[in-house]
């Protein structure tokens, strides 16, 4: 499966916002209406109880003040009212009721409000009505005679109140959905516009971050861009340098070949020209192989900044091998080569490390004087870290060039480098190999005195 196929389609921000707003809106509407209905009902019920109590006490006073209490007086007081009056005897027998014949009614002795009134003078309670969605509030008052006068009022329950507001609730929910959709569209546009504007000005992205949360993203984009631009500049410079470096020997080769081809070269010049062609071709071969080596190292870098399968490499034997290989070169340059290997092992690639030491040794010989001296050393320092060191008493590197000699194609003295077969890539390759081995390079050099380059590898981890 291609990576693009497995990618999930991006979600729409407006949909997410709308869903969130609807959810919050609905929750707010439902919670507020349930809460409000509950609170209103509680306040309303308390009010009913208070009113009932007051009326019951007033009626009781009127009933007791009457010298000849008759139920007719009570009935008259209740006429036109929705309240229900009941008069209960001390044993619970219903003596009179304003809505039902008293003899049909069961004993009220155990009714909670009656029992409470009997004991404490007054009592109240609420019970479900026989009518659905209604409840009855009772308030009972004990008379001096021990009889109990009770008033009842039927009201709506909380749930029936709630049923009444249901259509309103529905309308509220619909309004929330509508408003959420509208608000989501507006908010998405409002939130996204600064991001689009930021994406339109990638050059100044870090200076125009609209939201704090986007700072890491802007930072990544900015550094990625800078890296790409740098890479692009480096690639362009490298291509220009390579073309230039290849063009010079090719022009010479072409010129000499043409002289021989057209017969303009005298027969005694032919071997001389042939030797020059050979020399220039050799330079090109070295250059091409250095470029190939660098591109291989670049490839290793992009896969990961360290070697994938490092193996233990004996630095002492590696140094002896390089010493043997370079003896002829040193002799030709009238330079003495000395090798002082001490036991040291690093984890890495033997081929790459051989290349590293060879390049350093080659430079130490080439940038030297007849009668000069080069020493190859290796060992472990006082922290236990293995190192290789190449020391010469050659021409040295000026202070201001010491940081630049590891750049590709940088040379202190171009003509000397070319005359001695340099490509300008030797130390760039050394730096690359050192980075792949997590090694540190220290360069110490004084013009006219000599140069020491030391490569220190990480100390092995103690087990
Ligand atoms: P080159 O192929 O030109 O030697 P390098 O990358 O190996 O390229 O080195 C870059 C430059 O650093 C050289 O051109 C030279 O000027 C300077 N250099 C390197 N090693 C030494 C040294 N041991 N002594 C003096 N100069 C050196």
């Amino acid at each position: 499966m291609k990576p693009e196929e497995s990618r999930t389609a991006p979600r729409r921000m407006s949909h997410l916002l709308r869903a969130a707003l609807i959810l919050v809106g609905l929750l707010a509407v439902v919670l507020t209406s349930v809460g409000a209905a509950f609170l209103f009902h509680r306040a309303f019920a308390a009010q009913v109880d208070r009113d009932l109590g007051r009326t019951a006490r007033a009626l009781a006073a009127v009933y007791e003040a009457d010298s000849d209490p008759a139920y007719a007086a009570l009935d008259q007081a209740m006429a036109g009212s929705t309240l229900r009056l009941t008069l209960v005897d001390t044993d619970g027998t219903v003596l009179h009721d304003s809505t039902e014949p008293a003899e049909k009614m069961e004993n009220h002795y155990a009714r909670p409000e009656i029992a409470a009134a009997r004991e404490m003078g007054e009592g109240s309670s609420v019970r479900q009505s026989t009518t659905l969605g209604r409840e009855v509030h009772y308030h009972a008052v004990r008379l001096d005679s021990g009889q109990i006068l009770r008033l009842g009022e039927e009201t709506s329950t909380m749930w029936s109140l709630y049923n009444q507001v249901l259509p309103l609730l529905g309308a509220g929910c619909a309004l929330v959905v509508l408003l959420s959709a509208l608000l989501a569209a507006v908010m998405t546009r409002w939130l996204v516009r600064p991001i689009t504007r930021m994406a339109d000005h990638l050059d100044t992205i870090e200076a125009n971050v609209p939201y704090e949360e986007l700072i890491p993203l802007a930072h990544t984009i900015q550094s990625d861009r800078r890296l790409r631009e740098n890479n692009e500049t480096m690639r362009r410079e490298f291509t220009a340098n390579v073309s230039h470096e290849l063009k010079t020997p090719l022009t010479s080769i072409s010129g000499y070949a043409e002289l021989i081809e057209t017969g303009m070269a005298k027969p005694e010049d032919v071997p001389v020209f042939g030797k020059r062609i050979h020399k220039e071709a050799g330079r090109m071969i070295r250059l091409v192989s250095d470029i190939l080596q660098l591109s291989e190292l670049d490839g290793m870098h992009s896969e990961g900044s360290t070697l994938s399968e490092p193996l233990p490499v004996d630095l002492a034997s590696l140094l002896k091998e390089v010493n043997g290989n370079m003896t002829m070169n040193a002799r030709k340059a009238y330079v003495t080569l000395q090798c002082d290997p001490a036991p040291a092992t690093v984890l890495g690639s033997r081929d790459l490390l051989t290349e590293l030491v060879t390049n350093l040794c080659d430079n130490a010989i080439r940038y030297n004087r007849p009668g000069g001296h080069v020493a190859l050393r290796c060992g472990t320092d006082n922290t236990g870290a293995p190192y290789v060191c190449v020391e010469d008493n050659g021409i040295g590197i000026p202070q201001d060039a010491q940081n630049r000699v590891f750049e590709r194609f940088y040379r202190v003295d171009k003509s000397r480098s070319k005359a001695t077969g340099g490509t300008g890539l030797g130390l760039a390759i050394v730096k690359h190999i050192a980075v792949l081995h997590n090694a540190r390079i220290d360069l110490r050099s004084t013009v006219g005195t000599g140069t020491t380059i030391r490569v220190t590898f990480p100390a092995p981890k103690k087990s």
Side-chain angles (χ1 to χ4, degrees):
M1 203 197 286
K2 285 185 198 161
E4 294 97 77
E5 284 170 16
S6 64
R7 211 189 294 153
T8 48
R11 287 186 293 173
R12 287 194 69 153
M13 207 166 148
S14 56
H15 287 179
L16 281 176
L17 271 177
R18 193 185 312 158
L21 287 172
I22 287 177
L23 199 75
V24 172
L26 287 184
L27 262 173
V29 167
V30 171
L31 286 180
T32 313
S33 18
V34 171
F38 176 73
L39 289 176
F40 280 138
H41 180 262
R42 227 172 55 167
F44 173 68
Q47 185 63 44
V48 167
D49 286 339
R50 263 197 308 276
D51 288 350
L52 266 183
R54 215 175 294 137
T55 317
R57 278 190 293 277
L59 275 174
V62 169
Y63 183 68
E64 282 185 322
D66 206 334
S67 52
D68 179 21
Y71 302 145
L74 285 177
D75 287 342
Q76 204 177 343
M78 297 312 301
S81 150
T82 53
L83 301 179
R84 176 180 183 177
L85 183 138
T86 316
L87 195 64
V88 181
D89 207 352
T90 43
D91 61 356
T93 314
V94 177
L95 298 171
H96 179 72
D97 189 85
S98 61
T99 52
E100 257 183 82
E103 56 279 10
K104 281 194 183 164
M105 291 172 69
E106 60 186 48
N107 190 291
H108 273 29
Y109 190 82
R111 298 285 161 101
E113 68 283 1
I114 304 284
R118 201 167 43 241
E119 277 172 29
M120 290 174 289
E122 277 192 39
S124 58
S125 73
V126 181
R127 277 196 295 281
Q128 281 297 316
S129 164
T130 42
T131 322
L132 196 72
R134 312 274 294 166
E135 60 192 5
V136 188
H137 291 246
Y138 291 107
H139 196 95
V141 178
R142 190 180 61 207
L143 304 176
D144 291 340
S145 59
Q147 292 177 343
I148 288 163
L149 184 143
R150 184 186 77 172
L151 273 186
E153 183 174 13
E154 200 175 65
T155 63
S156 297
T157 60
M158 186 182 124
W159 303 115
S160 71
L161 269 182
Y162 204 68
N163 275 346
Q164 287 163 25
V165 296
L166 218 57
L168 212 71
L169 196 70
C173 289
L175 199 72
V176 162
V177 172
L178 205 80
L179 277 178
S180 302
L182 218 77
L183 209 65
V186 174
M187 272 177 79
T188 311
R189 211 168 311 143
W190 178 66
L191 283 171
V192 168
R193 199 177 302 146
I195 302 175
T196 326
R197 213 174 297 142
M198 178 181 95
D200 285 343
H201 300 90
L202 285 179
D203 289 338
T204 51
I205 188 167
E206 267 189 308
N208 297 319
V209 186
Y211 307 117
E212 210 180 287
E213 291 83 348
L214 291 181
I215 290 177
L217 177 73
H219 183 69
T220 312
I221 293 175
Q222 183 92 318
S223 18
D224 192 57
R225 243 175 101 80
R226 234 176 261 146
L227 195 76
R228 268 181 220 221
E229 279 167 7
N230 285 350
N231 283 351
E232 180 58 22
T233 316
M234 267 172 65
R235 199 185 56 78
R236 233 179 292 130
E237 279 175 8
F238 186 67
T239 314
N241 276 329
V242 167
S243 316
H244 179 75
E245 295 287 334
L246 285 173
K247 205 175 155 202
T248 319
L250 261 179
T251 313
S252 303
I253 291 172
S254 167
Y256 292 129
E258 194 182 357
L259 287 177
I260 295 170
E261 185 193 14
T262 53
M264 283 171 77
K266 290 183 222 140
E268 63 267 30
D269 286 340
V270 172
V272 180
F273 289 176
K275 194 176 169 194
R276 286 184 188 161
I277 289 173
H278 187 198
K279 191 178 161 205
E280 296 298 333
R283 240 175 85 186
M284 282 180 69
I285 291 168
R286 275 195 303 280
L287 189 66
V288 170
S289 75
D290 275 1
I291 292 168
L292 284 176
Q293 168 99 53
L294 263 180
S295 95
E296 205 178 305
L297 290 168
D298 277 338
M300 286 183 180
H301 256 302
S302 46
E303 279 167 23
S305 54
T306 46
L307 290 169
S308 52
E309 281 176 28
L311 292 171
V313 179
D314 178 6
L315 285 183
S317 86
L318 187 149
L319 227 64
K320 280 186 221 157
E321 187 188 322
V322 174
N323 181 55
N325 291 343
M326 299 304 283
T327 309
M328 272 313 286
N329 278 10
R331 216 170 277 165
K332 276 189 207 161
Y334 304 102
V335 169
T336 51
L337 196 56
Q338 177 197 339
C339 182
D340 293 327
T345 308
V346 295
L347 275 182
S349 151
R350 187 176 173 104
D351 286 349
L352 292 180
L353 292 172
T354 306
E355 176 84 24
L356 179 144
V357 180
T358 304
N359 281 357
L360 292 179
C361 183
D362 185 47
N363 282 352
I365 294 169
R366 287 192 296 114
Y367 300 106
N368 217 315
R369 276 178 291 255
H373 183 78
V374 172
L376 306 179
R377 292 198 188 90
C378 72
T380 48
D381 64 14
N382 48 12
T383 66
Y387 68 87
V388 284
C389 175
V390 179
E391 188 181 334
D392 67 64
N393 59 354
I395 61 171
I397 305 168
Q399 188 70 35
D400 56 338
Q402 287 181 11
N403 274 334
R404 301 202 56 196
V405 285
F406 294 96
E407 289 174 19
R408 296 172 185 198
F409 294 114
Y410 180 83
R411 290 132 156 157
V412 177
D413 179 350
K414 206 163 185 163
S415 52
R416 181 172 182 135
S417 161
K418 286 194 174 175
T420 54
T423 60
L425 296 174
L427 287 185
I429 292 174
V430 166
K431 187 176 134 191
H432 247 306
I433 297 174
V435 171
L436 278 172
H437 286 81
N438 284 325
R440 191 186 75 231
I441 301 178
D442 297 303
L443 184 151
R444 271 188 295 119
S445 186
T446 313
V447 174
T449 307
T451 305
T452 304
I453 298 183
R454 187 182 170 112
V455 182
T456 312
F457 299 89
K461 288 191 186 86
K462 291 191 182 81
S463 51

